[in-house]
Amino acid sequence: MEDASAEEQQRLTDQQLKAAVHYTVGRLCKEVAADKEMQFSKQTVAAISEVTFRQCDNFAKDLELFARHAKRSTINTDDVKLLARRSSSLLKYITEKNEEIAQVNLEQKAKKKKKPERGNQESAELVAEAEAVECEG
Amino acid sequence: LSHYGKLFSFLAKMPLEKAALEMVEKCLDKYFRHLYNDLEVFAAHAGRKTVQLEDLELLMRRQGLVTEQVSLHVLVERYLPLEYRQLLIPCASSGNAVFPTQ
């Protein structure tokens, strides 16, 4: 009984997450469609969102491995950079973003003595607004 | 490099053409370059200048060779000859000495 309900709960959470990702992908696809003046079929959007979902799984596992390899239990920006080192352009982009975020954090720190969560913000940047959508839902 | 040719034809259970062997050599070249790059980055990530067994294990884990079900030791047992296995897998010998020491 316990297991069954837990499994059900897990499945529900999974579905909610997938829905959130799907919604975000849909919005991004709309933007691209407006930009490039081409249409996305519904199946394409669904396929992209499914790929994104599984990619997140891969990313999460890799980040965990990298953090553990450096004898940390907290994922930080170095791990994220390591994830993106396969393509130099992406690495450059991520590094720039990281610096931007660090700057913003420094300003925030100067304003009010609040501890920012850098790694969290970074990943939030990476997974676009999936989390934001999640929070809204 | 003919050694690799023999290995490949043994694994494929069929003889290899000359052209295929050349392709294999190219692929191996690329593969090893990739490998060294990765190992270097992983060692640097752990704050070391020396590549250690952990880095190799991480690499194989990312390649999907080492998983929860299949550990590195299992792979060593499966694919390497005895003298290498003795070097890699700690084993208690007489006098309560463990070689290699962890």
Side-chain angles (χ1 to χ4, degrees):
Chain A
M1 277 305 270
E2 278 285 305
D3 277 356
S5 68
E7 213 169 278
E8 188 69 19
Q9 191 63 40
Q10 176 67 36
R11 211 176 53 82
L12 252 167
T13 326
D14 237 31
Q15 253 182 352
Q16 274 175 344
L17 281 174
K18 269 189 185 166
V21 171
H22 188 88
Y23 171 73
T24 312
V25 167
R27 268 189 16 196
L28 289 171
C29 279
K30 254 192 196 145
E31 274 178 36
V32 173
D35 197 31
K36 303 268 187 239
E37 291 176 5
M38 53 203 281
Q39 296 295 314
F40 283 92
S41 71
K42 276 187 176 159
Q43 289 94 331
T44 314
V45 177
I48 292 173
S49 61
E50 184 65 27
V51 168
T52 311
F53 198 77
R54 290 189 196 190
Q55 187 71 291
C56 283
D57 209 34
N58 286 337
F59 279 171
K61 278 177 184 147
D62 276 350
L63 286 169
E64 198 179 349
L65 281 174
F66 289 148
R68 246 192 28 219
H69 187 71
K71 294 179 181 57
R72 284 187 266 101
S73 56
T74 319
I75 292 166
N76 71 4
T77 46
D78 289 352
D79 300 323
V80 181
K81 276 184 204 161
L82 205 58
L83 196 68
R85 79 177 199 296
R86 285 256 175 257
S87 70
S88 50
S89 55
L90 184 61
L91 185 58
K92 219 172 91 181
Y93 176 77
I94 294 233
T95 313
E96 278 172 17
K97 275 274 177 217
N98 184 19
E99 276 161 10
E100 270 178 44
I101 289 164
Q103 283 259 318
V104 170
N105 275 343
L106 278 175
E107 282 163 22
Q108 272 186 350
K109 258 188 185 169
K111 272 180 187 169
K112 45 192 168 179
K113 301 281 183 191
K114 200 177 75 179
K115 247 194 144 178
E117 293 174 3
R118 269 179 54 183
N120 218 345
Q121 280 202 21
E122 178 82 9
S123 57
E125 278 287 330
L126 273 180
V127 194
E129 306 136 59
E131 278 106 327
V133 175
E134 198 186 298
C135 290
E136 285 167 17
Chain B
L1 272 169
S2 67
H3 168 80
Y4 283 118
K6 279 177 192 158
L7 183 69
F8 258 84
S9 42
F10 170 73
L11 288 174
K13 296 190 182 71
M14 52 181 85
L16 229 66
E17 275 183 11
K18 258 247 153 38
L21 188 63
E22 277 167 18
M23 283 297 286
V24 163
E25 278 173 23
K26 272 184 194 163
C27 289
L28 276 171
D29 198 49
K30 269 213 161 64
Y31 173 73
F32 276 117
R33 255 168 233 218
H34 229 106
L35 202 80
Y36 298 144
N37 257 326
D38 277 0
L39 287 173
E40 198 181 342
V41 169
F42 290 155
H45 185 69
R48 282 188 264 104
K49 283 199 167 66
T50 322
V51 174
Q52 288 182 355
L53 198 62
E54 300 163 25
D55 303 320
L56 190 72
E57 193 175 348
L58 178 68
L59 188 90
M60 288 170 91
R61 213 176 267 280
R62 287 204 67 212
Q63 285 173 348
L65 294 169
V66 177
T67 55
E68 262 88 83
Q69 286 82 29
V70 185
S71 74
L72 189 64
H73 281 181
V74 171
L75 289 172
V76 169
E77 285 274 358
R78 204 178 289 170
Y79 293 110
L80 293 184
L82 181 64
E83 54 264 35
Y84 292 130
R85 295 205 299 256
Q86 280 171 338
L87 287 176
L88 286 170
I89 296 178
C91 183
S93 54
S94 65
N96 203 10
V98 174
F99 179 84
T101 47
Q102 292 260 307

